[in-house]
């Protein structure tokens, strides 16, 4: 059985798919009422499943006339997409954000499920047994190198 977060995510992704690349603007209260949940449930879904690492831009305005605007960031080529990921990675990367990026690579059909599992294993804190912030720096460097290999094998 799917949980409420999965149902809300599916609904928002359907709205985005139907929007022809335009941003989708939603009201927290409307979604909470529609799915009979608290607004914080929607906040959780937005914060964990519609991140930059997943390829989304989220703007939010609180208050009575508040809204959440979600934009799917489209890139025209795989090279542009990978370059954008490299910019997001920067010099340090948490395990959570690394997993989001690997999931995005899989969802965008850049890597296979098996490749994603291998990459996640290599980036796991149990594999990188050094102290922070060095672990996050090493994780970023490894993922940047993996993306470079993908880029150069595509050419």
């Amino acid at each position: 059985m799917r949980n409420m977060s999965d149902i809300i995510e599916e609904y928002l992704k359907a709205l985005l798919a139907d929007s022809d690349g335009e941003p989708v603007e939603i009201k927290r209260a409307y979604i909470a009422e529609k799915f009979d949940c608290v607004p914080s449930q929607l906040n959780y879904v937005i914060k964990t499943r519609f991140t930059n690492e997943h390829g989304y831009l989220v703007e939010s305005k609180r208050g009575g006339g508040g809204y959440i605007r979600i934009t799917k960031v489209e890139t025209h080529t795989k090279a542009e997409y990978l370059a954008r990921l490299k910019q997001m990675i920067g010099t340090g990367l948490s395990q959570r954000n690394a997993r989001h990026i690997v999931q995005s690579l899989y969802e965008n059909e850049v890597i296979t499920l098996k490749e994603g599992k291998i990459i996640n294993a290599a980036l796991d804190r149990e594999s990188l047994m050094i102290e922070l912030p060095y672990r996050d720096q090493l994780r970023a460097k490894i993922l940047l190198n993996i993306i470079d290999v993908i880029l150069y094998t595509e050419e």
Side-chain angles (χ1 to χ4, degrees):
M1 186 170 126
R2 296 178 312 157
N3 65 35
M4 184 58 67
S5 294
D6 294 337
I7 293 167
I8 294 169
E9 176 187 15
E10 186 178 293
Y11 173 77
L12 294 175
K13 284 185 174 178
L15 287 178
L16 284 161
D18 293 342
S19 74
D20 294 324
E22 293 296 315
V24 170
E25 200 168 286
I26 57 172
K27 301 251 185 210
R28 280 183 184 84
Y30 170 78
I31 299 296
E33 185 177 320
K34 179 175 180 61
F35 291 102
D36 193 27
C37 66
V38 295
S40 63
Q41 181 80 38
L42 175 60
N43 292 343
Y44 169 79
V45 172
I46 298 294
K47 287 187 184 311
T48 60
R49 301 180 187 199
F50 291 87
T51 64
N52 286 332
E53 293 84 5
H54 283 110
Y56 298 95
L57 176 63
V58 177
E59 301 169 69
S60 179
K61 180 182 175 214
R62 295 198 178 264
Y67 61 84
I68 298 173
R69 184 178 297 136
I70 306 170
T71 306
K72 175 75 172 148
V73 179
E74 296 292 336
T75 51
H76 300 321
T77 67
K78 188 182 289 187
E80 289 174 344
Y81 166 69
L82 293 172
R84 187 175 60 78
L85 284 182
K86 285 179 68 171
Q87 286 179 328
M88 285 189 326
I89 292 169
T91 58
L93 188 64
S94 70
Q95 180 171 320
R96 179 175 170 224
N97 286 341
R99 288 186 183 276
H100 288 309
I101 290 171
V102 172
Q103 180 66 29
S104 177
L105 288 167
Y106 171 70
E107 288 174 358
N108 285 286
E109 299 177 356
V110 175
I111 60 173
T112 65
L113 181 61
K114 183 177 181 180
E115 291 166 338
K117 288 180 178 185
I118 292 168
I119 294 167
N120 278 332
L123 300 176
D124 192 89
R125 68 179 53 94
E126 296 299 320
S127 299
L128 307 174
M129 296 182 63
I130 58 176
E131 295 297 315
L132 291 172
Y134 306 111
R135 181 171 55 221
D136 287 353
Q137 292 167 354
L138 179 58
R139 183 180 291 117
K141 188 66 176 158
I142 291 169
L143 192 52
L144 287 169
N145 286 338
I146 289 169
I147 290 172
D148 282 341
V149 169
I150 294 169
L151 271 168
Y152 296 123
T153 57
E154 292 291 319
E155 294 177 352

